[in-house]
């Protein structure tokens, strides 16, 4: 993973040209924990400018399962009970873990160990790493195919996407893509994968049957996050330098809309119903909510002051989960009310997040 511009805030870890992250210590923001965040009156700002106070932490009804957060500078994985929003385990991982994905049956989680050039396979029943699989250099984003049989890994240091066969935990293909891919997404039908290439300003379109790049789409100055709508019609791509999200027509290969969201958008996730896209925006410390029908920001959710660094986001029907690198926290948002309902202290420089079914 590589940012060609080379300028980031001091609270973020620096990246070198090989895509490896220098392990510069990040300190949590002084006093930023669950109690202070809830007591500080963080608000949800709708497009009309209306706001609402954040209530005390509550449990979302029906939000069972586990949430997994990689802690980049601790070399650990935090395991969170989604019903209580409490950390129940901290698991040693490889060096500088970044992306994480959870199997459809919830039995395994897959962790991209950026500094170890491997994927670690976690048995979620025992919270033990049971297998490590070598991939390309500086793996970052990971995503599972809809049938759960393939894991796609964006290797920022080798300009490739590894395809891992999950039943055997073996790499079956390595697909050349653009420069410094950061993240990867898969269409709901499983036929197409998309890799966001930060170094070449493009998105690589991969045919998952042939394991070949079949198209290269322009995606702005520095595309880092990518998500696909459930109907497969559009890809939402964060352009970190341009402070916007590009909407790319998956069939036409053209940018159909550009949505300004604030300085430093990093990750994006589309809701299961396809109506909203959630964008983690580093600079102002908020999550932008995009109405996918009108391609406009319909609301912003404040998760902390500048320096909190909301980084990656995962969405379920019950919750929106956002990692904050600067604060060392995970914020939980109710997608129906757009209110912050919990802030969970995790490890040092939390990066990836995934929720089990």
């Amino acid at each position: 993973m590589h940012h060609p511009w080379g300028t980031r805030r001091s609270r973020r870890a620096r990246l070198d040209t090989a895509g490896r992250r220098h392990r510069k210590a990040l300190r949590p923001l002084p006093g930023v924990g669950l109690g202070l965040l809830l007591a500080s009156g963080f608000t949800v700002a709708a497009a009309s400018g209306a706001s609402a106070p954040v209530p005390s932490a509550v449990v979302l009804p029906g939000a069972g399962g586990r949430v997994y957060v990689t802690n980049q500078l601790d070399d650990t994985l935090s395991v969170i009970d989604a019903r209580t929003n409490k950390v129940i385990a901290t698991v040693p991982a490889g060096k500088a873990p970044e992306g994480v994905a959870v199997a459809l049956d919830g039995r395994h989680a897959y962790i991209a160990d950026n500094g170890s050039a491997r994927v670690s396979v976690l048995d979620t029943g025992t919270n033990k790493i049971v297998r490590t699989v070598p991939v390309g250099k500086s793996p970052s984003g990971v995503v599972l195919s809809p049938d759960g049989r393939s894991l796609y890994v964006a290797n920022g240091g080798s300009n490739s996407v590894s395809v891992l066969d999950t039943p055997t935990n073996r790499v079956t293909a390595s697909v050349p893509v653009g420069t410094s891919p950061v993240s990867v997404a898969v269409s709901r039908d499983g036929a197409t994968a998309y890799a966001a290439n930060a170094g070449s300003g493009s998105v690589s379109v991969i045919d998952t049957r042939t394991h070949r790049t079949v198209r290269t789409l322009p995606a702005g100055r520095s595309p880092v996050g990518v998500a696909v709508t459930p109907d497969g019609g559009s890809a939402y791509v964060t352009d970190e330098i341009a402070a916007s999200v590009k909407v790319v027509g998956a069939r036409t290969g053209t940018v159909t809309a550009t949505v300004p969201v604030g300085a430093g958008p990093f990750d994006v996730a589309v809701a299961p119903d396809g109506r909203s896209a959630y964008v983690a925006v580093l600079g102002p410390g908020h999550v932008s909510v995009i109405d996918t029908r009108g391609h406009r920001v319909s609301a912003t959710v404040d998760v902390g002051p500048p320096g909190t660094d909301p980084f990656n986001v995962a969405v379920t029907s019950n919750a929106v989960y956002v990692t904050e690198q600067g604060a060392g926290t995970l914020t939980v948002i109710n997608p129906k009310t757009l209110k912050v309902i919990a802030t969970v202290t995790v490890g040092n420089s939390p990066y990836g997040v995934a929720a089990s079914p």
Side-chain angles (χ1 to χ4, degrees):
M1 177 176 171
H2 160 56
H3 294 266
W5 57 95
T7 58
R8 304 305 306 150
R9 285 189 301 279
S10 61
R11 298 193 64 83
R12 293 236 355 245
R14 304 285 182 179
L15 299 172
D16 66 20
T17 55
R20 297 182 184 275
R21 193 172 284 267
H22 296 301
R23 299 175 61 74
K24 178 180 177 180
L26 297 181
R27 295 174 297 170
L29 291 173
V32 176
L34 175 59
L36 180 58
L37 286 172
L38 294 175
S40 296
F42 288 142
T43 60
V44 178
S48 63
S51 63
V54 173
S56 58
V58 296
V59 178
L60 285 172
R66 299 286 183 267
V67 180
Y68 299 88
V69 174
T70 57
N71 302 304
Q72 197 178 48
L73 298 185
D74 283 350
D75 299 336
T76 62
L77 178 80
S78 295
V79 183
I80 297 156
D81 187 328
R83 294 166 297 181
T84 63
N85 294 319
K86 303 291 185 183
V87 175
I88 58 174
T90 301
V91 181
K95 293 180 180 179
E98 294 195 358
V100 59
V102 186
L104 298 178
D105 61 9
R107 294 182 179 181
H108 295 95
Y110 300 88
I111 306 160
D113 296 321
N114 186 273
S116 303
R118 74 184 194 192
V119 167
S120 292
V121 182
L122 176 81
D123 182 326
T124 60
T126 62
N127 286 327
K128 303 285 187 183
I129 301 296
V130 294
R131 186 77 176 266
T132 58
V133 184
V135 289
K137 294 179 181 178
S138 304
S140 183
V142 293
V143 67
L144 282 158
S145 60
D147 63 7
R149 296 184 62 86
S150 297
L151 181 78
Y152 298 89
V153 186
N155 303 305
S158 54
N159 303 329
S160 66
V161 170
S162 295
V163 184
L164 188 153
D165 179 68
T166 57
T168 62
N169 287 322
R170 293 184 178 181
V171 172
T172 57
S174 179
V175 185
V177 292
T179 305
S180 303
V182 175
S183 59
V184 60
V186 180
S187 61
R188 179 171 283 186
D189 63 6
T192 309
Y194 300 84
N197 307 307
S200 51
S202 65
V203 170
S204 296
V205 183
I206 300 168
D207 184 325
T208 60
R209 289 160 290 195
T210 63
H211 296 149
R212 296 182 62 185
T213 295
V214 294
R215 297 179 76 181
T216 300
L217 310 179
R221 298 172 63 188
S222 177
V224 287
V226 59
V228 185
T229 54
D231 64 3
S234 298
Y236 281 74
V237 185
T238 55
D239 187 342
E240 191 173 11
I241 291 180
S244 63
V245 172
K246 300 289 191 296
V247 185
V248 181
R251 296 178 182 88
T252 64
T254 59
V255 176
T256 59
T258 298
V259 185
V261 291
F266 194 83
D267 194 30
V268 57
V270 176
D273 63 9
R275 295 180 179 179
S276 300
Y278 298 86
V279 185
V281 186
L282 285 157
H286 70 229
V287 173
S288 290
V289 184
I290 297 175
D291 177 349
T292 58
R293 291 162 291 189
H295 301 317
R296 64 181 183 88
V297 174
S298 58
T300 57
V301 184
D302 293 330
V303 296
T308 300
D309 284 358
F311 206 67
N312 274 283
V313 58
V315 182
T316 71
S317 58
N318 294 298
V320 180
Y321 299 98
V322 187
T323 57
E324 288 107 21
Q325 282 206 321
T329 52
L330 174 76
T331 289
V332 186
I333 300 167
N334 186 321
K336 296 178 177 64
T337 64
L338 293 182
K339 293 181 179 180
V340 173
I341 60 167
T343 303
V344 185
T345 299
V346 287
N348 192 356
S349 189
Y351 189 104
V353 56
S356 65

Coordinates of all heavy atoms in Angstrom, one line a residue, residues 110 121 131-133 149 163-172:
Y110 N -10.1 -13.9 8.2 CA -8.9 -13.8 7.4 C -8.2 -12.5 7.6 O -8.9 -11.4 7.4 CB -9.2 -14.1 6.0 CG -9.8 -15.5 5.8 CD1 -11.2 -15.6 5.9 CD2 -9.0 -16.6 5.5 CE1 -11.8 -16.9 5.7 CE2 -9.6 -17.9 5.3 CZ -11.0 -18.0 5.4 OH -11.5 -19.2 5.3
V121 N -5.1 -17.1 9.2 CA -6.5 -17.6 9.3 C -6.8 -17.9 10.8 O -6.1 -18.7 11.5 CB -6.6 -18.9 8.5 CG1 -8.0 -19.5 8.6 CG2 -6.2 -18.7 7.1
R131 N -3.6 -21.1 10.7 CA -2.9 -21.2 9.4 C -2.4 -19.9 9.0 O -3.1 -18.9 9.2 CB -3.8 -21.8 8.4 CG -3.2 -22.2 7.0 CD -2.4 -23.5 7.1 NE -1.9 -23.8 5.8 CZ -2.4 -24.6 5.0 NH1 -3.6 -25.2 5.3 NH2 -1.9 -24.9 3.8
T132 N -1.2 -19.9 8.4 CA -0.8 -18.6 7.7 C -0.4 -19.0 6.3 O 0.1 -20.0 6.0 CB 0.5 -18.1 8.4 OG1 1.5 -19.0 8.4 CG2 0.2 -17.6 9.8
V133 N -0.8 -18.1 5.4 CA -0.7 -18.3 3.9 C 0.1 -17.2 3.3 O -0.3 -16.0 3.3 CB -2.0 -18.4 3.3 CG1 -1.9 -18.8 1.8 CG2 -2.9 -19.4 4.0
R149 N -15.8 -19.2 -1.0 CA -14.7 -20.1 -1.4 C -13.4 -19.5 -1.8 O -12.4 -20.1 -2.0 CB -15.2 -21.1 -2.5 CG -16.4 -22.0 -2.0 CD -16.8 -22.9 -3.1 NE -15.7 -23.8 -3.5 CZ -15.5 -25.0 -2.8 NH1 -16.2 -25.4 -1.8 NH2 -14.5 -25.8 -3.2
V163 N -5.4 -14.6 -5.1 CA -6.7 -15.4 -4.9 C -6.4 -16.6 -4.1 O -5.6 -17.5 -4.5 CB -7.3 -15.8 -6.3 CG1 -8.7 -16.4 -6.1 CG2 -7.4 -14.6 -7.2
L164 N -7.0 -16.6 -2.9 CA -6.8 -17.7 -2.0 C -8.0 -18.6 -2.0 O -9.2 -18.2 -1.8 CB -6.5 -17.2 -0.6 CG -6.1 -18.1 0.5 CD1 -5.2 -17.4 1.6 CD2 -7.2 -18.7 1.2
D165 N -7.8 -19.9 -2.2 CA -8.9 -20.9 -2.1 C -9.1 -21.3 -0.6 O -8.2 -21.8 0.0 CB -8.5 -22.2 -2.9 CG -9.5 -23.3 -2.8 OD1 -10.6 -23.1 -3.4 OD2 -9.3 -24.3 -2.2
T166 N -10.2 -20.9 -0.1 CA -10.5 -21.0 1.4 C -10.6 -22.5 1.9 O -10.2 -22.8 3.0 CB -11.6 -20.2 1.9 OG1 -12.8 -20.5 1.1 CG2 -11.4 -18.7 1.6
P167 N -11.2 -23.4 1.1 CA -11.2 -24.8 1.6 C -9.9 -25.4 1.8 O -9.7 -26.2 2.7 CB -12.0 -25.5 0.5 CG -12.9 -24.4 -0.2 CD -12.0 -23.2 -0.2
T168 N -8.9 -25.0 1.0 CA -7.5 -25.6 1.1 C -6.5 -24.6 1.7 O -5.4 -25.0 2.0 CB -7.0 -26.0 -0.3 OG1 -6.9 -24.9 -1.2 CG2 -8.0 -27.0 -0.9
N169 N -6.9 -23.3 1.8 CA -6.0 -22.2 2.2 C -4.7 -22.2 1.4 O -3.6 -22.1 1.9 CB -5.6 -22.4 3.7 CG -6.8 -22.1 4.6 OD1 -7.5 -21.1 4.4 ND2 -7.0 -22.8 5.7
R170 N -4.9 -22.3 0.1 CA -3.8 -22.2 -0.9 C -4.1 -21.1 -1.9 O -5.2 -20.9 -2.3 CB -3.6 -23.5 -1.6 CG -3.1 -24.6 -0.7 CD -2.8 -25.9 -1.5 NE -2.3 -26.9 -0.6 CZ -1.9 -28.1 -1.1 NH1 -2.0 -28.4 -2.4 NH2 -1.5 -29.0 -0.3
V171 N -3.0 -20.4 -2.3 CA -3.2 -19.3 -3.3 C -3.2 -20.0 -4.7 O -2.3 -20.8 -5.1 CB -2.0 -18.3 -3.3 CG1 -2.0 -17.4 -4.5 CG2 -2.0 -17.6 -2.0
T172 N -4.3 -19.7 -5.4 CA -4.5 -20.4 -6.7 C -4.2 -19.5 -7.9 O -4.1 -19.9 -9.0 CB -5.9 -20.9 -6.8 OG1 -6.9 -19.8 -6.6 CG2 -6.2 -22.0 -5.8

